[in-house]
Amino acid sequence: MSAHNPGMDADTFEQFHEQLTRYVRERLIPAEEEVIADDAVPAQIIDEMREMGLFGISVPEEYGGAGLNVTQYARVVNTMSYVAPAYRSIFSINVGMFASALKNGATEAQRAEYYPKLVEGKIACFGLTEPGSGSDSAAMQTTATRDPDGNGWVLNGTKRYITNAPHADVALIMARTEKEALPKNAHVSAFLVPMDTPGISTGSPDKKMGQAGSHISDIMLDDVKVPGEALLGGETGKGFRFAMQSLDNGRISVGAAATGYARRALDSAIRYANERKAFGEPIARFQLIQAMLADSEIEIYAAEAMMADVTARADRGENILVKAAAFKVFASEMCGRVVDRVVQVYGGAGYLAEYDAERFFRDARIYRIYEGTTQILQLQIAKHMLREWEAANG
């Protein structure tokens, strides 16, 4: 993260954010039923999102993007996540991990090539997880070997659970460039790979618990030849570091999304509690219902405060690895508790698919898993705490 990122002019951003909020409420919420029924975001809405510049919000202005700073970017993600998660999913890899990897690690030529593609709405995916490895890069099986016919590389392997893979235009693929595991994961490099490159195929989209309209699938790489310029940053051994740095951004995105979706679920519960009557009065007047509503409001506020803090720190150029992880863990776990209470407020209706509460419950579950599970992030946070203690007391 560069220090002191001013982002878009504050007044301009507030106007854009107001317009976006209106778009979410008036256009995206009414289209949710169609998204869920068809398991796809309508092409017309994707085009509208492109026209609004959503696919390039974090791309620097000199490359045609909106140049939002991290605080503004998180607010956009939070607002877009008030609706069905598929809407965020379609552009989130572009503006989160992919744009962040370009910023942190790409050559100038790579930025000049790929930033404008993100702005025009080409869809990106991020290929880290494999059938046998996720956070454990030492177990990564995908390989990149020197192409004997030139200066390029040949990629082989399989990536799993890759968001947007079925319709992505470009992928950032992590692959081993060394057989042996090296310190600081220097055996892993990153490659910018157009998805129409010969040898690349994707599996059929996986059937999921929730998040209808958001698609994940395997990516199979079978002797995929890429030029030398595809190596992110032009150097081997840096890929995993770039990936981890961009995951800070991805974790802020997931935290912001979980917080926005929790707010949607709570708003739904408040409306239902005022409409549903028992013993002759709205259930909203019952104190145990009120306790569930109040606990949810308290926790959402805490997550919103964490989001404001971690994004401000990122914009000041601070190292946010621990705080981004902490925000993601808290927000995703909080969202899980909120949607569970919302089902309870709905009572029997909360278990029926015709009411929103059941969908909120299913959709929210993934937030505690992707971009680092709660448990992996607990380990990461603790490792840094212990390392700092040792440095101070060693």
Side-chain angles (χ1 to χ4, degrees):
M1 301 283 175
S2 59
H4 306 297
N5 183 354
M8 183 186 278
D9 168 75
D11 289 342
T12 309
F13 175 74
E14 291 307 329
Q15 285 176 347
F16 169 73
H17 187 256
E18 197 176 303
Q19 177 195 359
L20 183 69
T21 303
R22 210 162 45 242
Y23 180 70
V24 164
R25 300 298 200 277
E26 296 171 10
R27 177 75 170 112
L28 299 187
I29 288 179
E32 279 182 332
E33 281 186 27
E34 184 184 348
V35 169
I36 293 158
D38 298 345
D39 190 25
V41 178
Q44 186 183 350
I45 285 180
I46 294 176
D47 285 341
E48 290 165 7
M49 288 166 63
R50 286 189 175 112
E51 282 171 32
M52 289 177 77
L54 286 172
F55 285 81
I57 54 171
S58 58
V59 172
E61 286 183 72
E62 59 264 36
Y63 297 97
L68 300 192
N69 61 25
V70 181
T71 300
Q72 294 167 338
Y73 151 76
R75 283 184 62 195
V76 167
V77 169
N78 180 261
T79 300
M80 284 294 292
S81 301
Y82 191 81
V83 275
Y87 295 120
R88 177 196 79 102
S89 203
I90 200 77
F91 76 95
S92 67
I93 308 298
N94 278 37
V95 301
M97 294 186 292
F98 199 92
S100 185
L102 290 177
K103 180 181 173 185
N104 293 330
T107 63
E108 191 44 54
Q110 288 167 340
R111 289 180 189 136
E113 180 179 358
Y114 282 100
Y115 270 149
K117 289 180 178 177
L118 298 184
V119 172
E120 70 180 60
K122 298 290 188 201
I123 295 171
C125 64
F126 189 84
L128 174 64
T129 304
E130 297 186 358
S133 75
S135 306
D136 172 19
S137 81
M140 186 177 289
Q141 298 293 310
T142 298
T143 58
T145 53
R146 292 279 184 185
D147 185 350
D149 302 332
N151 74 334
W153 297 84
V154 182
L155 306 182
N156 281 284
T158 300
K159 297 296 179 179
R160 178 145 293 171
Y161 309 137
I162 306 304
T163 298
N164 290 342
H167 36 244
D169 300 294
V170 60
L172 187 65
I173 299 289
M174 308 299 141
R176 299 181 81 97
T177 40
E178 304 288 342
K179 281 196 172 68
E180 301 302 318
L182 296 175
K184 298 188 176 175
N185 298 294
H187 56 286
V188 180
S189 302
F191 295 86
L192 294 156
V193 186
M195 289 292 282
D196 59 1
T197 307
I200 292 188
S201 58
T202 57
S204 52
D206 294 307
K207 289 184 165 59
K208 312 188 303 302
M209 180 191 292
Q211 304 231 350
S214 162
H215 299 142
I216 63 173
S217 74
D218 288 2
I219 297 177
M220 283 75 76
L221 304 145
D222 186 14
D223 286 336
V224 176
K225 293 189 175 187
V226 296
E229 302 82 73
L231 177 63
L232 185 70
E235 284 182 71
T236 60
K238 299 285 182 69
F240 196 75
R241 186 161 59 86
F242 295 145
M244 290 302 103
Q245 286 174 339
S246 59
L247 277 175
D248 287 349
N249 216 304
R251 284 163 188 163
I252 287 174
S253 178
V254 173
T259 306
Y261 209 49
R263 174 65 67 195
R264 167 71 181 284
L266 178 57
D267 285 351
S268 166
I270 293 167
R271 187 180 64 249
Y272 185 81
N274 277 290
E275 291 170 355
R276 172 86 168 93
K277 286 190 167 62
F279 307 104
E281 60 181 329
I283 63 170
R285 293 190 187 161
F286 300 152
Q287 288 180 333
L288 293 179
I289 296 288
Q290 291 174 2
M292 288 191 282
L293 299 177
D295 282 349
S296 299
E297 177 65 34
I298 290 162
E299 291 200 275
I300 293 170
Y301 173 52
E304 288 170 346
M306 288 178 84
M307 183 174 89
D309 178 70
V310 71
T311 56
R313 289 173 183 275
D315 287 328
R316 290 197 297 269
E318 292 182 26
N319 182 334
I320 55 157
L321 189 146
V322 170
K323 287 185 168 55
F327 169 50
K328 192 268 180 183
V329 169
F330 181 82
S332 62
E333 294 285 343
M334 172 278 292
C335 186
R337 291 188 293 271
V338 169
V339 294
D340 187 66
R341 290 185 200 115
V342 169
V343 170
Q344 201 70 8
V345 169
Y346 270 74
Y351 205 69
L352 302 183
E354 68 179 279
Y355 292 90
D356 288 340
E358 178 266 354
R359 167 168 64 98
F360 298 151
F361 188 84
R362 288 184 293 103
D363 285 346
R365 189 61 185 83
I366 189 66
Y367 291 135
R368 290 146 66 187
I369 295 171
Y370 59 18
E371 315 314 351
T373 64
T374 292
Q375 288 68 34
I376 280 289
L377 296 184
Q378 285 172 320
L379 293 176
Q380 190 179 68
I381 292 164
K383 184 174 76 177
H384 282 270
M385 291 166 67
L386 295 171
R387 196 181 288 162
E388 284 178 13
W389 186 88
E390 284 168 13
N393 297 276

